[in-house]
Every structure is written in C-alpha cells, then in structure tokens.
Amino acid sequence: MTDRETTGAAAPSRLTAIAAATDLREGAEGVALILRTAFRDGPLLLRDLAKAVRMPLPVVGAVRRELELAGLLDRGHGVELSLAGQDFCRDVLGVSARHDSRCSCCHGHGVVVAPDLERVLRLLEEHAALGPPVDVTLDQAPCTPETALRRALAMHEAGALDGRSIIILGDDDSMSVALMLLAQAIGARPRRLTVLELDPGRIAHLDGARQRHDLAFDLVAHDLREPLPADLAGRFDVFETDPPYTVDGMSLFVSRGLEALRSEPGLPGFLSYGDLAPDDLLDLQARLTEMGLVATRIRPSFNHYQGASILGSVGQLIDLKTTRRTKSVTGAETFAAPIYTGEVRPRERRYQCRACAAITEVGLAEAFATIEALKEKGCPSCGGTVFKRLHAKTAY
C-alpha cells in the first residue's frame, strides 16, 4: 500500500473522531464538508462557513476548535486551513478547484427580486426595523425582509396567492405583510388572508403595518396548542408556516394548517424549517408522510434569518401538496407535549455581572429565562446591565 493510500485509509477514523468529539450529527461527512468548504472558499468568517455548510453556528465553532487542535486549521480570526490542512484536503479528500454552477442572479434560490419590486423590499425593511424584541422562548427568529419577499414570490409562482384563501400559522416573519405588499405591487388579489399569532408584540407590529399600508388581512390572537377556532376550520386553500424548531412543534403547526384547509388533494402548503442533518431530515419527512403530505420541492438554504445561530442562520423552504390521505395528527384537542426548543432541550447558562462579579443562572426554570430578560431587570445583586457569559470548561 502506498503512503497516500495509507493516509487515505486513516482519514475516515480521523474525521470520525472529530465528529464524535463535537457530537456532530452529520458525522465524518460533516467534518469533511467543513474542510472542503474551507479549502474551496476560505478563508471564511465562522458565520459564513456555518451558512455555507448549513449547520448551527455553535456546532461549527466546536468543530473548528477540534480542527485547530488537529493542526488542520490555523488559529486566529475566521476559518483558514493550515498548510497541513490544505495537504489533507488535496491528498486525502481529493479536493480540487471550485466551480460554482449556481445561477449568478438568484444564487441558487430559484427566485429573484426584480428591480420593480425594490420599493416593496424597502417597505419590508422599514417594517422589520420597527419590530419588537425577539422572544427566544417562542423560538422566534425573524427571516430577513428579502427572504420574506422571496418566499412570497415563491408562493405566487406556485399559484398560491392570486384568488387564494391563505392562512399563516405564526408570523414573526411578517409573511402577511410581504404577501399583501407583493399583491399590491403586481395586481394580485388574494381572496382572504388570515394570521394566527400568539405574541401580543408581534400582533401589534403586524397591525401597525396593516394600518400604515392599508393591507387587507385578518389578525387572530391564538395559541396553536389549542384547537383551531371553529369558524376557521376547512375554509382555506393555502397554509404557510415557519414553526418551532422541534419535530413536535412542526407537526403541530402543520396539522393546524391542515385543519384550516378544505378537504381536497393538491392544495399547497409552505413549510420553512432548519437545514437538518440526514437523520433529522428523515424524521421530518416521516412526520410529513404520516400526515399524508407530499413534498414537491425542497429548497435548501432558501431562508436567511437574523441571528438564528441554532439554524446556522439559514433554513429550507419545503413546498407541500395535500393528497387524498392527508390528515391532521392533532385533532380538536389541546396539544400538551413540549414544542419549543427551550422546553424540549432546556439549556442553563451562567452569566457574570461585569460590575460586581455575581453569577446568575439563566434558563426556562430560572428567574430569568433569557439574557435579554436579565439585562432588562439588571443584576440581582447590584443592578448592573453588562454581563459576561461563562462557558463550560468541558471539551467538545
């Protein structure tokens, strides 16, 4: 066996060890993808690498540290291969020069915002700037205004805007505003648009845009863990949702959407969700199959989010269609299972006050659920509002 063959044979175990050390769900192939991307596109900022490989920012950061320890990445700012890392990519992974075949206009999204819609985009940006603080306990992570407009365009392209009755389940993305501004701009006429939203701050934000731009849509304050209001059941042609980042949360929101649709095959639904590791994506698809839905198009990294590190700041848009076997899996009853990430995977974090060095635990079971809540109230010991997060000392 040649030296190169010996090195190549050892590569999988080396990558597997790094994947195990960081609990990377994508496994050795995920580590290889990070190295390939760094070779072809680097040096990169960590957040740009996370978007490119469609993995959560903290996870990519953990892998970077292991790759630095292995001598494959240079220590310092951003992500840059060391000379040993470049040799590893060339000689072991067989990486060559990058050839980008993505469309230079739409960058692989399949939808482009034309110049005549720049005014709509500007209005959405102004609307987003007026938004309330994000409530992370509700898995809020608003998409960018451009994403909202591209998503609205994708729905229009699929025949889900003009003449349609549309229901939106949760709207921290302001899809109602994007759809109606687009409809005004292109002369489309939805038959009806209704939003179900839980957060009072978001409802007020949407209502402000509705009045400011004279948009015709209904806002209904409703917790989707509760049964759908009876007067909304079976009345709609289209649903759109960007649900909590758990499979149960997704199942609940999509099921409520199905309860709102007419009982007919071929009706469209639009699901935005995180770009997932293969096993997690299989779980997602299994739930959709259980509900009798077929995915007609999956657009990876279509959605860009503002500060959603748990998603890698990007997510997929899935076009769905109902079938003759479509059914809700919730029924007309209260949904009791946890649906938000903080409920399903609770994380306790420790913050140290910069003024008095007092340490405060932050988490759903604590006095302060988020760092934002702690900053608003101030340090329990001295009232200070500047904190340093204390990281666990255990290695990945």
Side-chain angles (χ1 to χ4, degrees):
M1 183 179 287
T2 66
D3 289 343
R4 180 170 179 174
E5 288 172 333
T6 301
T7 305
S13 61
R14 191 174 189 183
L15 298 179
T16 299
I18 292 174
T22 54
D23 197 24
L24 186 64
R25 295 184 180 183
E26 290 81 358
E29 275 300 309
V31 181
L33 175 60
I34 289 172
L35 287 169
R36 289 172 183 272
T37 304
F39 182 89
R40 291 174 174 171
D41 299 341
L44 290 163
L45 294 175
L46 185 64
R47 66 172 180 268
D48 293 333
L49 177 62
K51 288 180 182 179
V53 299
R54 304 168 189 162
M55 296 179 196
L57 183 61
V59 172
V60 177
V63 175
R64 178 186 65 175
R65 288 191 287 275
E66 290 296 326
L67 290 172
E68 288 176 347
L69 290 173
L72 299 179
L73 291 182
D74 280 334
R75 292 178 180 272
H77 300 293
V79 180
E80 185 172 6
L81 289 172
S82 65
L83 291 177
Q86 294 175 34
D87 290 342
F88 184 87
C89 287
R90 268 193 224 95
D91 300 337
V92 179
L93 298 182
V95 182
S96 57
R98 179 184 179 91
H99 175 72
D100 192 349
S101 58
R102 294 177 301 172
C103 171
S104 59
C105 293
C106 72
H107 304 290
H109 297 310
V111 177
V112 65
V113 176
D116 61 343
L117 294 177
E118 286 296 328
R119 178 179 176 276
V120 175
L121 180 57
R122 187 172 66 255
L123 291 175
L124 286 171
E125 290 171 342
E126 293 171 356
H127 167 71
L130 298 173
V134 169
D135 187 344
V136 296
T137 65
L138 298 178
D139 280 359
Q140 287 180 353
C143 69
T144 64
E146 183 177 355
T147 290
L149 181 53
R150 281 194 287 103
R151 203 187 291 174
L153 285 165
M155 291 176 65
H156 176 57
E157 180 187 81
L161 179 59
D162 212 4
R164 294 292 202 172
S165 295
I166 306 164
I167 188 165
I168 298 175
L169 301 109
D171 199 19
D172 58 311
D173 292 328
S174 295
M175 282 303 302
S176 52
V177 180
L179 284 166
M180 297 310 295
L181 286 176
L182 174 63
Q184 283 184 350
I186 65 177
R189 294 183 180 178
R191 194 178 306 276
R192 175 185 185 186
L193 194 152
T194 298
V195 177
L196 300 185
E197 174 58 53
L198 171 64
D199 183 4
R202 291 288 157 186
I203 292 173
H205 184 221
L206 296 172
D207 185 48
R210 179 173 62 174
Q211 297 185 45
R212 193 162 52 249
H213 302 296
D214 191 25
L215 305 178
F217 62 87
D218 300 320
L219 278 169
V220 179
H222 185 70
D223 186 341
L224 287 165
R225 287 172 288 200
E226 299 299 326
L228 202 69
D231 62 339
L232 299 182
R235 302 294 180 87
F236 296 88
D237 309 315
V238 180
F239 78 83
E240 190 277 339
T241 189
D242 194 334
Y245 313 136
T246 63
V247 176
D248 281 341
M250 180 280 299
S251 296
L252 172 62
F253 277 51
V254 170
S255 287
R256 296 302 189 208
L258 295 179
E259 292 166 24
L261 294 190
R262 294 183 289 109
S263 181
E264 184 177 324
L267 295 179
F270 297 87
L271 168 64
S272 292
Y273 207 69
D275 286 323
L276 302 174
D279 285 355
D280 296 323
L281 184 57
L282 182 63
D283 290 340
L284 173 69
Q285 292 175 346
R287 290 292 184 96
L288 294 174
T289 300
E290 181 185 357
M291 289 183 275
L293 288 166
V294 59
T296 58
R297 186 170 186 178
I298 299 177
R299 311 175 200 231
S301 299
F302 184 94
N303 299 314
H304 289 221
Y305 296 91
Q306 299 167 331
S309 63
I310 193 171
L311 300 177
S313 297
V314 293
Q316 59 190 317
L317 175 63
I318 305 176
D319 296 19
L320 300 167
K321 285 285 177 69
T322 59
T323 68
R324 297 192 185 280
R325 287 178 280 175
T326 293
K327 65 179 187 298
S328 168
V329 296
T330 54
E333 56 190 36
T334 299
F335 191 84
I339 62 171
Y340 295 110
T341 304
E343 298 172 329
V344 176
R345 295 185 292 275
R347 290 186 296 173
E348 301 294 323
R349 290 179 172 145
R350 300 164 70 240
Y351 289 89
Q352 186 174 51
C353 177
R354 293 279 192 182
C356 71
I359 297 174
T360 303
E361 302 280 347
V362 171
L364 288 180
E366 303 297 335
F368 301 98
T370 66
I371 180 58
E372 290 78 12
L374 175 58
K375 287 179 178 178
E376 183 178 351
K377 291 292 185 180
C379 172
S381 298
C382 74
T385 58
V386 181
F387 299 88
K388 173 186 176 182
R389 182 179 170 188
L390 301 179
H391 294 275
K393 297 189 185 216
T394 52
Y396 282 89

